[in-house]
Amino acid sequence: MLVIGAGVAGLVTATVLAARGAAVSMIHRPEPATRASHFAGGMLAPWCEAADATPALVVPGVEAIEWWARHVPETCREGSLVVAARRDQGELARFARRTSGHRMCSAAEVAALEPDLQERFAQALFFAGEAHLDPRAALRALAAGLTRRGIEIREGEVAEADHAGFDHIIDCRGHAAAPVLPELRGVRGEMLLLRCPGVTLRRPVRLLHPRIPLYIVPRAGGVFMVGATMIESADRRAVTVRSAVELLNAAYALHPGFAEAEILEAGSNIRPAFPDNMPALRRRGRVLHLNGMYRHGFLLSPHFAHRAAAIVFGEDSIKNGEAA
């Protein structure tokens, strides 16, 4: 079997297939920065994501937390926190109505969960069952696991000739597959990596805002990923000044200590999305496409990788080009 693409969908799919005893090869572009997964937040937040998506992602998302914990021991299961400024308390109430799996916390409880947020927020939503990981470290861990199994991971541009000799081809290239998946669109996302030893957070924190909600995800060594932008565009240019200013302002609003943060990286890439913003499996000739991860790559890749495996092993089927 050939898996095309070494972003989160491709690596998870190859891992699932290999675990079932399949003979797997992979081919991918050599530059990690071409993969949307490289810029992901790494939040495994099924209940939070359901605020603006179908509730159907909650069950596979919860299962994904277990999958990642088995494959990446550094997966952090400290939950996630959702806060809002006093003027935006209506946003917090709206978020609570649209989600489940949370409890409302008082200011004292917020301080107990995140001491550095003491006296900054009157209340918050705590999603105790959620988790997070470092996406780049997680992808490296999966690639290393495949290498230990003797699976070839080849670098290079993908050509039709690469399909020869394989019974099954699973294309996980993300937005690069748009020429053969006309319903696929690009949604631009931008992020910052900040080093700020003066601020400590144990879990992802979402700061709600009517226009641009922010999330901050802690990583090792006092580093934080800051993101939230979703722009309907396949433009691959660098982070804009507007987005950078908005992300930095929001980080400062969460905690003034971020004013002294060191900007390590500003990056952008294109999330692949189908019209309903949910992943899907599509059959095009000999190729099974796993695509449309949108902002749910780490959350939903295990579920869709298992479905892809079921199809290639003849346990599931494709109907009218889509997985049944």
Side-chain angles (χ1 to χ4, degrees):
M1 299 181 188
L2 176 65
V3 177
I4 304 173
V8 63
L11 287 170
V12 171
T13 298
T15 300
V16 168
L17 289 169
R20 295 194 56 170
V24 180
S25 292
M26 294 191 72
I27 185 168
H28 67 99
R29 291 179 177 177
E31 304 88 0
T34 64
R35 306 165 207 158
S37 319
H38 189 72
F39 299 95
M43 295 180 295
L44 303 174
W47 290 281
C48 280
E49 288 301 314
D52 296 303
T54 172
L57 64 69
V58 172
V59 171
V62 172
E63 293 170 353
I65 295 173
E66 302 299 331
W67 192 93
W68 284 109
R70 291 195 302 272
H71 290 84
V72 180
E74 294 77 17
T75 300
C76 183
R77 306 180 70 166
E78 294 280 356
S80 58
L81 202 62
V82 180
V83 300
R86 291 186 184 277
R87 66 178 181 277
D88 297 325
Q89 288 301 295
E91 294 297 313
L92 192 65
R94 174 183 174 276
F95 200 90
R97 290 193 301 269
R98 294 176 64 89
T99 57
S100 60
H102 58 73
R103 64 179 174 87
M104 187 68 77
C105 296
S106 66
E109 291 172 308
V110 171
L113 289 167
E114 295 289 359
D116 277 15
L117 299 184
Q118 184 173 4
E119 297 182 356
R120 297 202 55 78
F121 299 98
Q123 56 184 355
L125 298 173
F126 180 46
F127 293 79
E130 296 188 336
H132 70 282
L133 46 71
D134 180 334
R136 299 177 188 181
L139 297 180
R140 289 193 296 269
L142 293 187
L146 291 169
T147 300
R148 286 194 298 271
R149 289 177 178 267
I151 291 171
E152 177 189 10
I153 304 177
R154 187 158 51 94
E155 294 184 348
E157 293 297 322
V158 179
E160 198 68 29
D162 294 306
H163 297 183
F166 293 98
D167 294 330
H168 300 280
I169 299 101
I170 305 176
D171 189 329
C172 304
R173 286 181 295 156
H175 192 255
V180 293
L181 294 173
E183 67 270 47
L184 196 69
R185 76 186 197 280
V187 181
R188 176 182 166 86
E190 297 162 309
M191 54 78 77
L192 302 175
L193 281 183
L194 308 179
R195 181 183 288 124
C196 189
V199 177
T200 299
L201 297 174
R202 295 175 58 187
R203 53 185 59 80
V205 179
R206 296 179 186 238
L207 177 63
L208 301 181
H209 184 276
R211 191 163 57 88
I212 299 183
L214 164 91
Y215 52 77
I216 294 185
V217 187
R219 297 185 183 171
V223 174
F224 298 85
M225 185 274 192
V226 184
T229 62
M230 290 184 294
I231 302 166
E232 290 288 336
S233 169
D235 184 352
R236 290 186 177 274
R237 61 179 173 154
V239 176
T240 65
V241 169
R242 174 182 294 184
S243 294
V245 169
E246 288 174 340
L247 291 173
L248 291 170
N249 282 342
Y252 179 79
L254 182 72
H255 194 291
F258 281 108
E260 301 303 320
E262 176 186 1
I263 300 175
L264 300 179
E265 182 181 329
S268 66
N269 212 308
I270 306 303
R271 302 179 179 104
F274 288 123
D276 63 355
N277 292 335
M278 286 293 288
L281 291 158
R282 301 277 196 271
R283 173 79 75 183
R284 297 292 183 271
R286 296 178 58 222
V287 181
L288 179 63
H289 292 270
L290 196 174
N291 214 314
M293 286 296 168
Y294 186 49
R295 54 184 286 159
H296 309 310
F298 282 83
L299 190 63
L300 295 182
S301 281
H303 172 77
F304 280 89
H306 281 287
R307 289 188 66 192
I311 290 169
V312 300
F313 280 105
E315 301 160 359
D316 202 346
S317 61
I318 289 282
K319 216 179 263 186
N320 297 325
E322 297 190 24

